[in-house]
Amino acid sequence: MCCIGKGFGGLGAGSNTAGAFGGFGTTTSAAAPGSTFSFAAPTSTTGGLFGNTQNKGFGFSSGLGTGTTATAGFGTGLGTGLGTTLGGGFGGFNIQPQQQQAGLFGQQVPAQSNQLVHTANALSAPTLLGDERDAILAKWNQLQAFWGTGKGYFNNQFPPVDFTQENPFCRFKAVGYSCILGSKDEDGLVLLALNKKEADVRSQQQQLVESLHKVLGGNQTLTVNVEGVKALPDDQTEVVIYIVERSPNGTSKRIPATTLFSYIEQANVKAQLSQLGVFMSVTRTELSPAQLKQLLVNAPAGVDPIIWEQAKVDNPDPEKFISVPMVGFKELLRRLKIQDQMTKQHQSRLDIISNDISELQKNQATTVAKIAQYKRKLMDLSHRVLQVLIKQEIQRKSGYAIQVDEEHLRVQLDTIQSELNAPTQFKGRLNELMSQIRMQNHFGAVRSEERYSVDGDLLREIRQHLKQQQEGLSQLISVIKDDVEDIKLIEHGLLDRIS
């Protein structure tokens, strides 16, 4: 089962949400090259977006975020709540080398190995009871592992194994495809998911921008801009924003997406955003080739490497789509809702296009009619102008002798007139066509008159036949009258006899 959507299945380490990729760990935020922002920790929770100004760059002593704020890796923020309802694409991919060896989805390799061994023991040969009941327990553990929930007891010396949907034996999983974003970190795009309807967000967009500006510090050199608003399933809406910083010399630039996201993820800022209905935020940045390779080289936890490799081979467009796991019915339902939402949006767009095409066709028909009308009007005006010019030229040339060029024109006109009047030329052919049209009209009139005429003999036969019919009806009426009289006499006779 492969489908193309806009979000990621939820495989985040430590997350129970089956909606988006869990993180690749966290990375320490650092100032973007050429940025005027520092990342010192804010001194108070009530400070502005960029702290107090101390004549540094554009006057920001405390930058977007803190020096120790952890920036979400591959969709860590996306997977904690947005995944169940939002198909917003990739989150921020700040993948950095880490001290510990971690798996693709943040799981430690030794722990994963021991977990796999314990899971295999619980499914194949539990030694908890030491009798035939262990075989029944093994089947029960297999059922729980296939379903992806519950605990598997296999030995008194070890704790039970937790069966999650990410375990390799879970049957409710597949691989789909999601779009690769094309925006860069310099574009500064950050997605905010709100628990509000699209119509409400659009009607209150200005108030939302003002509120976000206040939450982000209210600095006059910063401007909050809305890149786009899109409806999501379950009456939710995603709003893509970016912040423009204007310097005193008149230049402006966008705040990097990672810098803005680091600030938004602070606890105090997050609490203020939640009051505006924001329940999730994520960066909209593209992946580097190294990051894409890191995502695709190892199969996600719980996904068979063979299936993962086959999914990469079956990718319809590796330049635009990336393979993502879909685990559990919740993720499938999420992608189904997103698909329905996109289908409705496409249908509404098709309806708009269809209406535009119909309107354009009407305008085209009206324009064609107007062009024909203007052509006729142009022809009439041309004739009128020609007549005026002829009369004016006649008056202007009156009393003058015929000039040489006029004599040439007269000779040409006589030549054309003689050619037209020649029997075998245009005029003769025109007369022949006119005579044929008259003959056809005459024959048609004669045929139309004969169509309604009736021969005299036929009329006499029809009249004789109708007369015979009339006589037959008269005889029938007389017979019926005689029979009625006889019936009346019979009735009187019967009455007299009875009385």
Side-chain angles (χ1 to χ4, degrees), residues 351-362:
D351 294 339
I352 294 173
I353 294 174
S354 177
N355 294 333
D356 293 342
I357 291 175
S358 300
E359 189 67 24
L360 290 174
Q361 289 176 347
K362 293 179 181 178

Side-chain angles (χ1 to χ4, degrees), residues 82 101 116 134 195 197 205 296 310 347 483:
L82 188 59
Q101 293 184 352
L116 185 60
D134 286 338
N195 279 318
K197 296 182 179 180
Q205 181 171 331
L296 297 176
Q310 185 63 38
Q347 186 61 45
D483 291 342

Side-chain angles (χ1 to χ4, degrees), residues 31 35-40 48-65 213 216-223 243-248 253 255 259 263:
S35 175
T36 59
F37 306 102
S38 62
F39 290 87
L49 175 60
F50 300 99
N52 300 322
T53 59
Q54 295 181 359
N55 296 326
K56 293 182 180 181
F58 298 112
F60 306 112
S61 61
S62 60
L64 279 172
H213 189 262
L216 299 177
N219 198 311
Q220 297 300 324
T221 61
L222 302 177
T223 305
I243 296 180
V244 176
E245 173 197 3
R246 302 186 183 278
S247 59
K253 71 171 184 176
I255 303 300
T259 306
Y263 182 84

Side-chain angles (χ1 to χ4, degrees), residues 12-286:
S15 173
N16 294 327
T17 304
F21 269 134
F24 287 87
T26 58
T27 59
T28 303
S29 303
S35 175
T36 59
F37 306 102
S38 62
F39 290 87
T43 57
S44 64
T45 59
T46 58
L49 175 60
F50 300 99
N52 300 322
T53 59
Q54 295 181 359
N55 296 326
K56 293 182 180 181
F58 298 112
F60 306 112
S61 61
S62 60
L64 279 172
T66 62
T68 58
T69 300
T71 302
F74 177 32
T76 301
L78 181 64
T80 56
L82 188 59
T84 57
T85 55
L86 175 61
F90 289 100
F93 298 93
N94 299 321
I95 303 176
Q96 299 290 344
Q98 300 184 12
Q99 297 295 331
Q100 299 177 349
Q101 293 184 352
L104 180 60
F105 295 91
Q107 298 174 341
Q108 301 299 324
V109 176
Q112 183 179 6
S113 178
N114 294 333
Q115 182 75 8
L116 185 60
V117 172
H118 293 167
T119 302
N121 291 332
L123 298 179
S124 60
T127 58
L128 184 66
L129 302 174
D131 53 18
E132 66 276 2
R133 290 177 294 178
D134 286 338
I136 300 175
L137 181 61
K139 293 182 179 180
W140 171 246
N141 290 339
Q142 293 174 10
L143 180 61
Q144 293 185 102
F146 293 161
W147 183 258
T149 184
K151 295 181 179 293
Y153 294 89
F154 64 98
N155 195 306
N156 292 321
Q157 298 179 0
F158 296 97
V161 178
D162 290 328
F163 293 119
T164 62
Q165 292 181 342
E166 286 78 16
N167 78 82
F169 303 97
C170 181
R171 297 296 181 88
F172 304 108
K173 63 181 66 175
V175 178
Y177 303 97
S178 291
C179 296
I180 299 177
L181 297 178
S183 57
K184 300 180 180 179
D185 185 34
E186 292 77 11
D187 297 333
L189 299 181
V190 174
L191 183 147
L192 302 178
L194 288 78
N195 279 318
K196 295 181 180 180
K197 296 182 179 180
E198 180 187 10
D200 298 338
V201 173
R202 290 188 180 276
S203 62
Q204 302 175 0
Q205 181 171 331
Q206 186 61 33
Q207 292 87 336
L208 177 63
V209 170
E210 295 176 357
S211 301
L212 290 174
H213 189 262
K214 293 179 181 178
V215 171
L216 299 177
N219 198 311
Q220 297 300 324
T221 61
L222 302 177
T223 305
V224 179
N225 299 274
V226 177
E227 178 74 12
V229 179
K230 187 175 70 173
L232 296 174
D234 301 328
D235 292 335
Q236 295 176 347
T237 307
E238 69 172 31
V239 180
V240 180
I241 65 170
Y242 63 92
I243 296 180
V244 176
E245 173 197 3
R246 302 186 183 278
S247 59
N249 59 5
T251 61
S252 62
K253 71 171 184 176
R254 294 191 182 187
I255 303 300
T258 52
T259 306
L260 177 59
F261 180 77
S262 300
Y263 182 84
I264 291 177
E265 285 300 302
Q266 295 182 85
N268 59 326
V269 178
K270 209 167 185 179
Q272 298 179 37
L273 290 176
S274 63
Q275 297 178 359
L276 300 177
V278 178
F279 66 91
M280 184 50 58
S281 59
V282 64
T283 58
R284 298 290 297 271
T285 55
E286 66 178 355

